[in-house]
Amino acid sequence: MAPERCNRFKDISVSEKVLNTIFLLTIGMGYLMALVNTYYTHEGLDGRPGLTIEDIVISYHGKSDQTRLGTAINGIMKNNLRHASDKQVIMDWIKKGADEESYNAKIRPILDSDCVFCHNPETNPTLPNLTEYSTVSEVAHSGGASLPRLVQVSHVHLFGIAFILFFIGKIFLLCDMNPHIKRIAVVIPFLSMLVDVVSWFITKTTPSFAYVVVFSGALMGLSMGLQILLSIYQMWFYSKNEDNL
Ligand code: HEC
């Protein structure tokens, strides 16, 4: 039995090519807009203009001196510290993850002597309660993206982009090229999107994963862009003919 021959661009009608092309161009525009949007929403978080790796770290992981406790003892609450050197002790503790063990050893005595006078639920129920670890911990941990927010962005991304990549891939499969390369090429954008999304979550706890976020995001954009360009090229400008599968 002769193997079934797969369709190529030369097998489809001009109207189908027009539809494919306008679809690919629109998706390409949408992707560029998404890039600009990423730029605007992340740019400058670290206080410097432009998009840096530090901006990515801050969006997912947060930043130690942007915790409420860190901001307060660097600002309005600074003068409540009896020993100015305690500020560094507290900042170091926040930076290292604000764990309970060192809280008991080093931080609690400082807060007890300088802060709980006002910061306790009896006198000032509206102020952060600095009498126990659980409530101190709330103001000592950095922002970054919250878990519910990451889950929300992830599911929208995964659903939306899966559709986009599927249709781009369907069109790209009509290209005339080595089938082994094609089989790998259709998987790459999906894989890099998955790695990208997973590394958002990892970056929340491990800031160095911001590099993986950037790399996999770039790889997805590149592989998708290549599929779009190659498809448009082969649809209109390529005429290597006759049954080269
Ligand atoms: C004399 C009372 C008093 C003392 C002592 C005091 N605070 Fe405060 N603290 C306040 C008040 C009042 C506010 C609310 C200020 C505001 O919202 O403008 C506040 C706000 C805060 C906040 C919340 C800031 C925010 O993000 O809204 C933190 C964190 C804080 N203080 C930490 C400390 C620490 C740490 C100490 C000890 C070094 C301390 N405070 C000592 C009265 C005090």
Side-chain angles (χ1 to χ4, degrees):
M1 196 170 71
E4 265 201 56
R5 198 184 159 284
C6 302
N7 270 348
R8 292 293 173 266
F9 283 126
K10 63 177 151 57
D11 304 316
I12 67 176
S13 67
V14 171
S15 22
E16 209 167 341
K17 286 186 191 177
V18 170
L19 175 66
N20 286 346
T21 305
I22 200 72
F23 169 75
L24 292 178
L25 288 176
T26 310
I27 290 289
M29 276 272 284
Y31 181 71
L32 290 183
M33 290 300 167
L35 276 187
V36 175
N37 179 50
T38 307
Y39 178 84
Y40 281 128
T41 50
H42 295 69
E43 182 267 337
L45 290 177
D46 62 352
R48 285 177 290 157
L51 188 61
T52 63
I53 196 87
E54 183 72 6
D55 290 328
I56 307 289
V57 171
I58 295 170
S59 342
Y60 295 103
H61 177 74
K63 195 179 179 193
S64 51
D65 56 8
Q66 280 179 351
T67 60
R68 287 180 70 191
L69 181 60
T71 311
I73 59 160
N74 274 301
I76 46 171
M77 294 294 129
K78 185 160 69 183
N79 294 329
N80 291 315
L81 286 171
R82 270 167 241 236
H83 306 285
S85 59
D86 285 343
K87 189 180 103 179
Q88 204 49 50
V89 176
I90 298 178
M91 286 312 290
D92 287 346
W93 174 71
I94 296 175
K95 206 170 241 157
K96 287 190 186 125
D99 64 300
E100 184 161 12
E101 201 177 316
S102 7
Y103 163 78
N104 287 324
K106 291 188 254 167
I107 305 304
R108 181 176 204 142
I110 303 175
L111 301 186
D112 280 350
S113 91
D114 302 350
C115 319
V116 299
F117 174 70
C118 301
H119 286 271
N120 66 75
E122 282 79 44
T123 4
N124 284 309
T126 56
L127 295 184
N129 176 4
L130 300 183
T131 60
E132 55 188 74
Y133 177 72
S134 65
T135 47
V136 173
S137 167
E138 279 168 24
V139 287
H141 279 101
S142 45
S146 67
L147 203 58
R149 166 98 187 116
L150 276 184
V151 170
Q152 186 200 13
V153 178
S154 305
H155 94 269
V156 173
H157 255 77
L158 290 169
F159 280 147
I161 298 183
F163 267 104
I164 291 173
L165 293 180
F166 179 77
F167 286 113
I168 293 178
K170 275 293 229 196
I171 298 175
F172 171 73
L173 287 181
L174 300 175
C175 281
D176 185 11
M177 65 165 67
N178 181 319
H180 296 289
I181 297 182
K182 232 167 17 180
R183 284 167 204 168
I184 297 171
V186 286
V187 175
I188 290 176
F190 283 94
L191 266 190
S192 35
M193 170 180 67
L194 289 173
V195 172
D196 198 37
V197 168
V198 170
S199 41
W200 297 346
F201 288 86
I202 305 181
T203 306
K204 190 167 161 48
T205 48
T206 313
S208 51
F209 256 75
Y211 287 100
V212 183
V213 171
V214 173
F215 177 78
S216 51
L219 185 63
M220 194 202 84
L222 259 168
S223 50
M224 190 175 102
L226 268 176
Q227 288 189 10
I228 293 179
L229 291 178
L230 259 169
S231 302
I232 293 180
Y233 170 76
Q234 286 215 357
M235 244 183 294
W236 300 105
F237 306 109
Y238 176 87
S239 60
K240 183 171 166 198
N241 37 33
E242 297 343 301
D243 295 0
N244 183 342
L245 300 187

